[in-house]
Amino acid sequence: MATGWNFHELYLWHETGNAAQFFQPSLTIEPGEHAENAATKRRFRNLMEVSGLTERLSKVASVAVSEDDLALFHDRDYIRRIKTLSDERGGDASYLTPFGHGSYEIACLAAGGTAAVMDAVLSGDIDNGYALVRPPGHHAERAQGLGFCLFGNVPVAILKNRAKHGFERVATVDWDVHHGNGTQAAFYADPSVLTISIHQDGLYPPDSGFHKERGEGKGEGYNINVPLPAGCGHGAYMSVFERVVLPALTRYKPDLIVVPSGFDASAADPLGRMMLHSGSYREMTRLLMQAADNLCGGRLMMSHEGGYSAAYVPYCGLAVMEQLSGIRTDIDDPFLPVFEAYAGQPLQPHQAAAIARAEELVAVSDSGCE
Ligand SMILES: [Zn+2]
């Protein structure tokens, strides 16, 4: 069994500048590091190194995507605006999405790393894989960046690989705590991509990620949003998988499963209000591997999105990589017993009610699917 791993040093050099968490520094709060900085990614990479796991994985090289690749999803005018700003001193991709000199090339590498891991899975060179990329991508829309994302890494990778491999159906399961609005928008009218997003209700983007957003035209029924109340823990997410994600995948029968993977639904995250721990991410990975084995020859890949706890993202990431590779290292997550013991980890009645509403969408997604 071979598990792919993509990382590039330049991912860490994407510059988001100083901020008050993610707002522009002002004269009321001392500027500090922007919430989306290199530390979480670097420390995930570092823990992979010291655990000895990296060297046992199949390294997948980043190959930058071209402007034409980006244009499979994005407007040319938008792509060129980012390129022009990046060639100068950087700028903002719209709102709260700062970037520095050279970020265009780094973003092309990030989309390219995602595309390369997907290509390797589809070619059978690896069984599954993870692209630890930066900047993230799942908020980026056709003509604007959003929420720290410049380009849609996953949409670009899917569209580029579809042109090469000609697969018929892809399912995305976005477990980042924020709504995967960009991935949803990319395939909103496209029944060949089932997009599922599990996120904190009403978090980000505002006014986005509701049950009623089900797709349009031929794509109607092929977008499933699972907005959850703040405070959900392990039990709620397990219920989402059991009642929504796995039945939807079984009905859809994808050729490939793609996870926009954010670790900001963890109990330690400063930007989310959920309570997951490394054991939750390990179990969600196991369930998706099982689904992929049953449905599509095990073809599963993940592309890194959010996750802002520099102390905890590495442990969540390592758990996912151990599960994907089937290799257990001797590293223990020191936070695990603490977070597992938090009150409210089991499924709560109001959470079950929210999940039941999303469950109704699965039956709808079945109609006209065959
Ligand atoms: Zn996020």
Side-chain angles (χ1 to χ4, degrees), residues 13-18 24 34 36 78-107 134-135 144-146 148-151:
W13 298 11
H14 163 58
E15 183 57 64
T16 47
N18 282 341
Q24 289 285 330
H34 192 283
E36 201 296 293
Y78 169 66
I79 298 167
R80 287 170 184 167
R81 183 168 76 80
I82 299 299
K83 173 84 168 80
T84 301
L85 287 169
S86 168
D87 286 346
E88 296 162 358
R89 297 171 59 112
D92 197 312
S94 72
Y95 178 64
L96 300 180
T97 308
F99 62 94
H101 177 71
S103 281
Y104 175 83
E105 281 75 15
I106 299 173
R134 179 171 178 265
Q144 65 170 6
L146 211 61
F148 323 152
C149 304
L150 297 182
F151 300 125

Side-chain angles (χ1 to χ4, degrees), residues 181-202:
N181 62 291
T183 317
Q184 167 178 304
F187 304 110
Y188 208 53
D190 184 350
S192 72
V193 183
L194 171 68
T195 45
I196 302 173
S197 177
I198 311 158
H199 48 268
Q200 185 182 320
D201 192 7

Side-chain angles (χ1 to χ4, degrees), residues 147-205:
F148 323 152
C149 304
L150 297 182
F151 300 125
N153 300 326
V154 165
V156 169
I158 288 175
L159 294 166
K160 182 177 166 70
N161 276 291
R162 183 159 67 190
K164 176 177 176 181
H165 293 278
F167 49 80
E168 290 178 4
R169 292 172 185 217
V170 180
T172 66
V173 181
D174 185 327
W175 63 37
D176 187 284
V177 80
H178 304 97
H179 177 226
N181 62 291
T183 317
Q184 167 178 304
F187 304 110
Y188 208 53
D190 184 350
S192 72
V193 183
L194 171 68
T195 45
I196 302 173
S197 177
I198 311 158
H199 48 268
Q200 185 182 320
D201 192 7
L203 183 59
Y204 187 85

Side-chain angles (χ1 to χ4, degrees), residues 45-299:
R45 189 274 314 266
N46 291 349
L47 186 59
M48 288 288 293
E49 291 281 339
V50 301
S51 74
L53 190 49
T54 308
E55 62 197 57
R56 300 178 67 180
L57 303 180
S58 178
K59 190 179 177 205
V60 179
S62 303
V63 180
V65 296
S66 65
E67 182 187 312
D68 285 346
D69 293 330
L70 292 175
L72 292 170
F73 174 39
H74 294 286
D75 278 4
R76 296 260 180 196
D77 286 350
Y78 169 66
I79 298 167
R80 287 170 184 167
R81 183 168 76 80
I82 299 299
K83 173 84 168 80
T84 301
L85 287 169
S86 168
D87 286 346
E88 296 162 358
R89 297 171 59 112
D92 197 312
S94 72
Y95 178 64
L96 300 180
T97 308
F99 62 94
H101 177 71
S103 281
Y104 175 83
E105 281 75 15
I106 299 173
C108 287
L109 268 183
T114 302
V117 172
M118 196 179 291
D119 181 34
V121 169
L122 289 164
S123 301
D125 297 337
I126 55 176
D127 295 295
N128 55 40
Y130 198 100
L132 176 53
V133 299
R134 179 171 178 265
H138 76 149
H139 295 309
E141 296 181 341
R142 208 169 296 275
Q144 65 170 6
L146 211 61
F148 323 152
C149 304
L150 297 182
F151 300 125
N153 300 326
V154 165
V156 169
I158 288 175
L159 294 166
K160 182 177 166 70
N161 276 291
R162 183 159 67 190
K164 176 177 176 181
H165 293 278
F167 49 80
E168 290 178 4
R169 292 172 185 217
V170 180
T172 66
V173 181
D174 185 327
W175 63 37
D176 187 284
V177 80
H178 304 97
H179 177 226
N181 62 291
T183 317
Q184 167 178 304
F187 304 110
Y188 208 53
D190 184 350
S192 72
V193 183
L194 171 68
T195 45
I196 302 173
S197 177
I198 311 158
H199 48 268
Q200 185 182 320
D201 192 7
L203 183 59
Y204 187 85
D207 299 322
S208 177
F210 304 110
H211 295 116
K212 66 184 179 188
E213 298 160 25
R214 297 176 42 237
E216 66 185 10
K218 288 182 178 172
E220 189 169 347
Y222 296 99
N223 183 71
I224 298 176
N225 281 324
V226 190
L228 297 173
C232 284
H234 186 83
Y237 274 75
M238 290 306 113
S239 177
V240 170
F241 269 68
E242 180 192 334
R243 296 173 65 180
V244 183
V245 174
L246 299 175
L249 292 174
T250 300
R251 286 164 185 259
Y252 188 68
K253 300 183 185 68
D255 301 314
L256 168 72
I257 298 173
V258 178
V259 179
S261 170
F263 296 117
D264 41 13
S266 89
D269 200 90
L271 300 193
R273 291 294 173 267
M274 298 305 199
M275 301 200 298
L276 298 189
H277 48 66
S278 62
S280 315
Y281 288 102
R282 188 187 300 279
E283 182 62 10
M284 293 193 294
T285 303
R286 189 186 71 79
L287 292 169
L288 288 180
M289 289 172 74
Q290 201 172 63
D293 278 343
N294 291 336
L295 299 167
C296 52
R299 288 188 289 275

